[in-house]
């Protein structure tokens, strides 16, 4: 099943989306928003899936054409957005470039932070940043959405709480990160609003590409209409999504609609490129002693998309520009 939220009000308007992403159906009698559907997922999902089947057969009477520009983030404001760092080779690379050893427990204990979730960006929304000097970067990731997760859940139990998946551009301001981490209190200013793909899908939509709580497909990133990277999300993922959920829920319950990201997709085989500028810059530092790839500039165009084995878009694309933010007078 595929779902999206039209950009309508603060919480969007839930629609069921056809498998080819071309048609949609509003379902106000089932749930007005995705959050309402997540709050009662076991009951709502079966009813939404009935609409989905009719829509794919061309039998839903009020279907309408869907364009990405109509969509906001699937959850325009979410109760919780957590982002892990499941590709530990990426963390190791970044630390190596600055001459820092990586603690051994990074391979066994996931990194995770809690990000801004009250105003999430849609797939075609511009990314507004006040200064290029802050080191603007994209981070292409996979995200899962959960139902209610009890505190202390094991990884084996956590797998059943993965209800939907999508993509995210977890925007980072790299030049602000060192000072924030140096305070020993985590990210804040260096992590502005993230942007999400237009469509969320149930795991079964991925077919054989969903195995071991991982997505075994490449994630394609284009910068200014040129391929930047397409590493495989199922390769070198040290912590699968069930492990990440269990980590997050160790001391707290996770409410329905919790968004949990994988962290930047990264493969040890660098031939497929990278999913963020920082990784490319680190490789250049290691090889040549200095970074040559610049961070994003105003006017740059970023596109993030996942294609299935038949070349069809799974979630639709994040397709956005970097723009200068100017506060109202």
């Amino acid at each position: 099943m595929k779902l999206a939220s039209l950009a309508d009000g603060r919480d969007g308007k839930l629609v069921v989306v056809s498998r080819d992403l071309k048609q949609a159906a509003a379902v106000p009698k089932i749930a007005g928003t995705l959050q309402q559907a997540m709050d009662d997922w076991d009951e709502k999902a079966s009813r939404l899936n009935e609409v989905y089947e009719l829509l794919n057969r061309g039998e839903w009477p009020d279907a309408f054409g869907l364009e990405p520009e109509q969509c906001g983030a699937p959850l325009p404001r979410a109760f919780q957005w957590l982002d892990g760092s499941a590709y530990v080779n990426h963390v190791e690379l970044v630390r190596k470039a600055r001459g820092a050893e990586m603690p051994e427990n990074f391979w066994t204990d996931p990194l995770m932070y809690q990000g801004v979730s009250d105003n999430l960006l849609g797939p075609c929304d511009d990314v507004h940043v006040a200064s290029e000097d802050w080191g603007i970067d994209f981070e292409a990731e996979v995200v899962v959405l959960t139902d209610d997760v009890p505190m202390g859940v094991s990884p084996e139990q956590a797998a059943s709480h993965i209800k939907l998946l999508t993509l995210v551009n977890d925007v980072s301001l790299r030049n602000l990160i060192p000072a924030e981490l140096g305070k020993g209190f985590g990210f804040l200013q260096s992590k502005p609003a993230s942007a999400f793909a237009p469509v969320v899908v149930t795991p079964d939509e991925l077919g054989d590409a969903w195995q071991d709580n991982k997505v075994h497909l490449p994630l394609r990133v284009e910068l200014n209409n040129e391929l930047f990277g397409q590493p495989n999300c199922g390769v070198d993922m040290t912590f699968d999504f069930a492990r990440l959920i269990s980590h997050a829920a160790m001391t707290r319950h996770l409410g329905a609609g919790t968004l949990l990201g994988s962290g930047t997709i990264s493969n040890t085989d660098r031939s497929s490129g990278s999913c963020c500028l920082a990784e490319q810059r680190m490789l250049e530092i290691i090889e040549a002693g200095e970074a040559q790839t610049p961070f994003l500039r105003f006017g740059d165009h970023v596109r993030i998309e996942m294609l299935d084995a038949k070349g069809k878009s799974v979630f639709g694309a994040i397709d956005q520009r970097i723009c200068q933010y100017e506060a109202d007078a």
Side-chain angles (χ1 to χ4, degrees):
M1 178 170 58
K2 300 192 175 188
L3 305 170
S5 293
L6 301 183
D8 183 354
R10 286 196 171 192
D11 297 306
K13 178 181 178 181
L14 179 65
V15 293
V16 178
V17 181
S18 61
R19 184 168 285 111
D20 63 7
L21 308 181
K22 294 181 179 180
Q23 297 286 307
V27 285
K29 293 183 179 179
I30 301 175
T33 67
L34 180 58
Q35 183 60 54
Q36 291 175 5
M38 300 301 298
D39 287 341
D40 192 15
W41 184 254
D42 288 343
E43 190 270 331
K44 303 289 189 188
S46 60
R47 296 173 62 192
L48 290 169
N49 194 60
E50 290 175 3
V51 177
Y52 182 62
E53 292 179 356
L54 291 171
L55 188 62
N56 284 321
R57 294 200 299 265
E59 297 175 4
W60 187 257
D62 298 319
F64 59 91
L66 182 68
E67 298 295 335
E69 294 81 4
Q70 296 174 266
C71 298
L75 287 173
R77 53 178 178 175
F79 290 118
Q80 187 157 228
W81 159 229
L82 306 172
D83 197 21
S85 192
Y87 299 84
V88 180
N89 69 84
H90 169 77
V91 181
E92 186 177 43
L93 176 65
V94 171
R95 294 178 68 90
K96 180 179 179 181
R98 66 173 189 262
E101 291 294 325
M102 192 178 74
E104 192 63 30
N105 70 336
F106 278 26
W107 291 100
T108 56
D109 190 23
L111 296 171
M112 191 171 292
Y113 81 94
Q114 187 159 353
V116 59
S117 63
D118 58 341
N119 186 23
L120 299 173
L121 300 179
C124 301
D125 291 341
D126 293 335
V127 176
H128 287 98
V129 180
S131 174
E132 291 179 343
D133 293 339
W134 292 346
I136 310 164
D137 199 357
F138 55 80
E139 292 191 58
E141 309 179 15
V142 178
V143 176
V144 297
L145 287 74
T146 74
D147 59 2
D148 288 304
V149 180
M151 181 168 60
V153 68
S154 69
E156 293 75 21
Q157 296 166 328
S160 67
H161 293 283
I162 300 170
K163 301 304 180 184
L164 296 166
L165 298 100
T166 191
L167 306 177
V168 67
N169 176 10
D170 179 43
V171 181
S172 290
L173 304 177
R174 298 293 185 182
N175 293 340
L176 300 184
I177 289 177
E180 285 206 305
L181 294 184
K183 296 176 182 178
F185 220 57
F187 300 121
L188 184 71
Q189 293 175 332
S190 54
K191 288 290 189 176
S194 299
F196 289 77
V199 173
V200 291
V201 311
T202 48
D204 62 286
E205 286 292 324
L206 295 168
D208 292 340
W210 178 249
Q211 295 181 35
D212 305 320
N213 304 308
K214 303 176 183 179
V215 178
H216 294 264
L217 287 171
L219 183 53
R220 182 180 179 89
V221 181
E222 294 179 8
L223 176 57
N224 296 326
N225 301 313
E226 294 186 2
L227 179 64
F228 186 83
Q230 49 184 351
N232 192 298
C233 302
V235 177
D236 301 314
M237 189 179 189
T238 307
F239 306 108
D240 66 31
F241 280 111
R243 177 69 177 88
L244 293 175
I245 292 170
S246 176
H247 175 84
M250 177 179 173
T251 61
R252 65 172 79 174
H253 301 290
L254 307 182
T258 290
L259 298 157
L260 196 152
S262 64
T264 306
I265 310 302
S266 178
N267 293 165
T268 54
D269 178 358
R270 307 299 178 185
S271 63
S272 295
S274 301
C275 276
C276 71
L277 293 168
E279 183 170 291
Q280 177 63 29
R281 286 168 59 88
M282 294 307 105
L283 289 168
E284 292 166 353
I285 290 171
I286 292 169
E287 182 175 341
E290 63 179 2
Q292 297 155 1
T293 300
F295 286 121
L296 296 173
R297 302 296 187 190
F298 299 138
D300 281 347
H301 174 211
V302 177
R303 183 180 175 92
I304 299 169
E305 188 172 22
M306 180 176 285
L307 306 179
D308 64 18
K310 297 180 179 179
K312 303 296 184 181
S313 185
V314 179
F315 307 97
I318 300 171
D319 196 337
Q320 54 191 175
R321 292 198 176 275
I322 310 303
C323 298
Q324 185 168 19
Y325 174 72
E326 297 181 3
D328 294 334

